[in-house]
Structure formats: C-alpha cells, structure tokens
Amino acid sequence: MDLQSRITTGNRSLKMYASRLEKLEIFTYMDFLFHLPSRYEDYSIVSKVADVQPGETVTIQGQVLDIKTNYMRGSRIKSMQKATLVDGTGSIELLWFNQPFLTRTILPNALISASGKVNTFGKSRKLSLQAPQYEVLSFDGNGIHTGRLIPVYPETQGVTSKWLRRQIHTILTEHYDLIHEYLPEDMIKKYGFIPFNQALKEIHYPKDLDSAASARERLAFDELFLMQLGSNKRRADWKEKQKGLPFVIKKYEKKIDDCINSLPFTLTDAQRVAITNIFDDVQKDKPMNRLLQGDVGSGKTVIAAISMYAAYLNGYQSVLMAPTEILANQHYKSILKLLEPLGVKIALATGSKKEGFKIKDLGLKNDNENHKSSILNPKSHIFNILIGTHAVLSDKITFNKLGLVIIDEQQRFGVAQRGTIRQKGDNPHLLTMTATPIPRTVALTMYGDLDLSYLNEMPHGRKRVKTWLVPPEKRDGAYDWIHKQITETDSQIFIVCPFIEPSESMTTVKAVAHEYERLSKEVYPDLKLGLLHGKLKAKEKDVVLQKFRDKEYDILVATPVVEVGIDIPNATVIMIEAAERFGLAQLHQLRGRVGRGDKQSYCLLFTESKSEGTNIRLQALETVYSGAELSELDLKLRGHGNLYGTAQHGVPKLKAASFSDTVLIQKAKHAADEIFPHIAEYKTLEEKLEATLNENISPD
Ligand code: ADP
Ligand code: MG
C-alpha cells in the first residue's frame, strides 16, 4: 500500500465509489487526504442532558434505551425513527426522518454520541435532537462525526461528508506512518511550520480553529512552494538544455523601422518596450520563452507581426497559432495587409483532419486542390509565415526552418499542444500571448518560468467604453435608449446572456434562444436580430457573424461565446444580462467587444440582484478600466474559487492556498528561490518535486 495508489486497487466499496469520487477529483488515497474541509461544524461542546437548553448545538453521549420506526401515510415524510438516549442526568429524544435502516445500525443499549441542535417537541416540551449526526462510540470514546470540530467537505451526488469522514479518518489512522515529510528540517524550523503529517491530520480533525489554521497554512505554503519550485525547474531546464537560433537584428533595423512606420498608427510605448524585450531575447543563443500579456485591444497582433517579420529577414519561418477559426482569419487578413507588400509569403491553415484542411496562401483560391497539396507536401515550403488554428499542429504540415512560434490566447491550448508545435523546428523561439488579465501574483507563481511583457497601456485615442449598471426599474428605459442608438446613430448592439450552468449546456442554449424570441417579438419587432451560441456549428457561427458584420442584423443576441476575438467596429453597445453571474474580468473582456472603432461606445450591465455587495462589485466596472486591476478585485471579492473561468484559462485550482494571499506567495517564492540552487542536497524534496511536475503534466 502506498498513498499514491489508485483507490480502484482498494476494497469493493471504494471501487464502487470510484466514478463518483472522480467528480471530486479523488483518484488516489492521497487525494482523499487532500480533499480538504470547506468548513467545520463545532460539536465540541459535550453536555449532560440535564444541562442542555433549547437552541444550543451540543453533543450528548449516552446509552440508547430504545429505537423504533413509525411509518406515516400521505406525507413527504414516510417514516420517522425515534430513539431515547439516557446519560444518567436525564433522557432526550433523537429523531430522524426516512432512515429506516437506523434501527439496524443503532441497537438498544449501544453507547452512542449524537450532535445537533436542541429542540423542544410536542406539548410536553420534551427535549429532542432532530436529524443529529451520530456515531456508535468505540472504546476510546473519540468520535469522528460528533464530540469535536467535525469537518464538512465538498460533496457530490452519492458522496456525503459523513462517508468521506469515515474514509479519510481510516486512512489517517491506519496509514499515518506512510505520510512522509519532504521539507528540509531547517526550513520547517525557520518558518515555524508544523510537520506535514500533523498538518494533514489537523486539517481534518483540528483540536481547535487555531490548529486548523496552522495546518492550512502549512499545506498552502507547500502548494505554492512546489508550484514555484516547478517554475524554477522549468526555467532552468529551458535555459540549460536548449540551444537557440540567434537572430540578427541590428543589420535589419532600417527595414524593421520602415515596417513599423508603414503602420496606420504609432506604436504605444508599451508596445515598443515589448518589441525591445523580444528582440533582446531572440538575439541570444537560448530560445526565447516569453509571455506577452495585454488587455483586449492593447495591440498584441502587431507585435506578433513585427516579430515574425524579423524572423523572415533572418531567413526563418514563423507560425502563429490561434484558438478559433474566426481569430485565425482575422490575423491572416491583418498580417497579410502589413507584411505582404514587404515580400513576405503568408499562408493560412484552418479546418481539421476530419473536415479536411483548408489552406489559403498568397490570395490564391481557398479550395484550390493544387495549393492544398503543395502546402501539405513536406518538400514544398512556399510560405514564410503560417497562420492557423490547431490545424497547424497536423503532422502533414512541416517546416524547413522554423525560427519562431507564436501562440495567441495561449491559455486555450494545452501543454501538449504547445509542445508539439515547437517540435516542428529545432528549438525555435516561443512567444505566447494572452489577454486574460491574470493577476500579477498569479502570473508570478504560475508562470515564474516565463519572461513577462505587459502591455499596460491602450493605443492612443481609444475612447473608454462608458459603463452603467442598470437596475430593474430602468430596464424599459434602457431598451428605448438602445432602440434610439440603432435607429438614430446606425449602431449595432450585442446582447449577452449568461451561461446558466458552468459551461455552455443545452439549458443555456434554450435560455438564450428564448430571450432571442422574446426580444424579437415583444421588444424589438421592428428590428433585425441574430442569434449566436456555442452549440452552433463552426460554419453556422461564421454565417451569423458575417451577417452581423454586413449589418444584416441590428442586434446580436449571444452567449459569452462572443468573448474571444470578435472584432466588429460598428458595434458600439454591449448589453449584458444577469451581470452578477460574471466575474469582473470576464465582464471586462465582454466589454472589450465594443469601443473598437472611433465612435463612443457603451456597456450596460443589467442585474436583478438586490444584494448590496453584488452591486458594489459590479459598479467597479463604471470606474475601473484595467483588466488586471479588475481581476485583482475579483480575487479579493469572490475568492479564487470563483476567479473567472479559471479552468479554461489554465490557472490551476488550488486546494489549500489562495492566489489572493500575496504574503504567503512571496514567502513561498523566496523560499523556492533560496533552495532551488541546492536542491540536489535535498533528495526527498527533489523527488517530491519530480512527482508534482509529472502529476501536473498529465491532465492535458
Ligand atoms: P489584442 O491585443 O486584443 O490582440 P489587437 O492586436 O487585435 O489587440 O489590436 C486591436 C486593434 O488596435 C487593431 O485594430 C489594431 O490594428 C489596433 N492597434 C494596435 N496597436 C495600435 C496603436 N498603437 N494605435 C492604434 N491602434 C492600434
Ligand atoms: Mg488578440
């Protein structure tokens, strides 16, 4: 037995639970131990029956005098179990509902412990505990469901806290000696941590809330520390093992400047700094590994284009990979416009193996068979720059001399995909780009192995999107105002409905389709409306978007699928329903869909929420226009668990730690930086790190 063993190797009952436990991400025994309580129930006050008062939450220990089931007719409660518990000072009634099996698990004369809230019952005002937690006491009298601080866990269908408590308690008692310390002793001393095994025990069964807190702190530190060590290790591997392809920049400075000067705008200072960062990197003989982070609309594409131009001048090919066909197309068009006149040959690859690849280059016809095969023929490389979706990953597409890989919206790709694309060359430089306003603290821990460039500035002359929170009583007024915008200023409008469930399920689609009907019939019967949601086929989406772009629709009713990359400059109003369901950072991304042209744009946030906290949170959007600042706020106000779309955005789920705990993050980073150069001296820690790294790679 090893704590890393899968529970499917265990007893029959565990095997039966395996698929349910997957939903809680419990696969191994260790995962059980890391299924941390979301809170504790305080059943630590053990009282005598004679002392209890109605309303108190208590634990009573005593002997069961009798227990029986009464069946009832014609009510939702089909049966009631009633036991009498005596403890020498008096008797109290225990009541449960619909649990007839209890008469088999609690036998008369058993010594039991029961915890719950004291009620009075019936005319006699007899004391009772309703649906108490209970357990039959063992000899040592130490309960796992009663008589102390009791852990309450995140549950799922068919897996209760009570069941989890039993499993976790068993592992903790029977296999405690398998939990090994891996932090160096001097480090534990230096930071005043409790030992690892003690932390795992006390997070589940703390003596008191203070000891629960120190257990959590130890585990949180470990989590952040290992993450940071992982970053240090990846950085070291990248720098040590790889020999890069140094570019020459100086020689081509004039040409690059000419390219920049041919742009219809001047670069922002932030864009210039990012380009300088990139040029510094690519001239080295280590491959670049840089993350370019910038708010929606901050102008990342042009930085990608200029970098690829520099690669071209050095005789290298580049590839730019984007997560959606819409985005790939958009990049293709804008980069073609900039670089084709300078003699760069650009191709576009979209589609998939199943649907057939579509390759377009140099303005030649899309479905031209010859060009399809010429580009897919490994011997013929007629492009300098390839732009595409994940289609560029196809093993049919090869490169002669790949010098630069750029991944747009990198969080949408898995680790494996990011690796595959680089393997098409011989250690090409890598630039990843993201608009996800990852809070700085998160970026530092998560992406410690990458060099970061921030675009903290918007292009000049961009007008801020005026943002208003609209309460229910102003809804009709807002509808009228929108109508005016459309008819009087020829604007187009997005109306965004939220996901009803965590992902774009059928329920969501139904809700948005329903809203589309309602708006079309009742609110704007005189206008043309389109409907866009994620369950449409790629082609259908394209058609809807094209129609919106061609102004065949005045209003596009959509789910948050519009969030990534849609660029329709004539749309100047975005109206978001049930805004309280979104994180601030996500609302900010949505708001980025408008304000792309030179007209004043608006964002209307509709909410029916009466909660003051919610309204204050949403009002932040009226005054804060920085995505990074908003996501910090999200983190503070809603906590990491709710940080917008964390799963999709490649931000790992933390079990014990929180990304808003900057002090602990600093501490972990400091400790990791200090120990990493000497990690070879700490074998156990090194092994733990290897194991953690392997674990984190697999889910992709
Ligand atoms: P994102 O960073 O979200 O990918 P894009 O690269 O799509 O942003 O740029 C958004 C828009 O801003 C594009 O139309 C682009 O041409 C324009 N743009 C980029 N840089 C500047 C600039 N310095 N001044 C004015 N407009 C710019
Ligand atoms: Mg972009």
Side-chain angles (χ1 to χ4, degrees), residues 325 349-359 372 376 388-397 538:
E325 211 160 319
T350 54
S352 67
K353 205 182 241 168
K354 233 166 61 206
E355 298 165 22
F357 290 106
K358 283 176 277 173
I359 306 285
K372 210 182 208 171
L376 293 177
T389 56
H390 59 279
V392 302
L393 295 169
S394 155
D395 46 17
K396 294 224 176 88
I397 294 180

Side-chain angles (χ1 to χ4, degrees), residues 247-266:
F247 293 1
V248 175
I249 296 294
K250 194 120 202 84
K251 188 168 147 200
Y252 301 112
E253 233 159 33
K254 169 91 181 48
K255 288 197 160 166
I256 293 170
D257 279 346
D258 287 348
C259 171
I260 292 176
N261 290 333
S262 78
L263 289 166
F265 46 75
T266 50

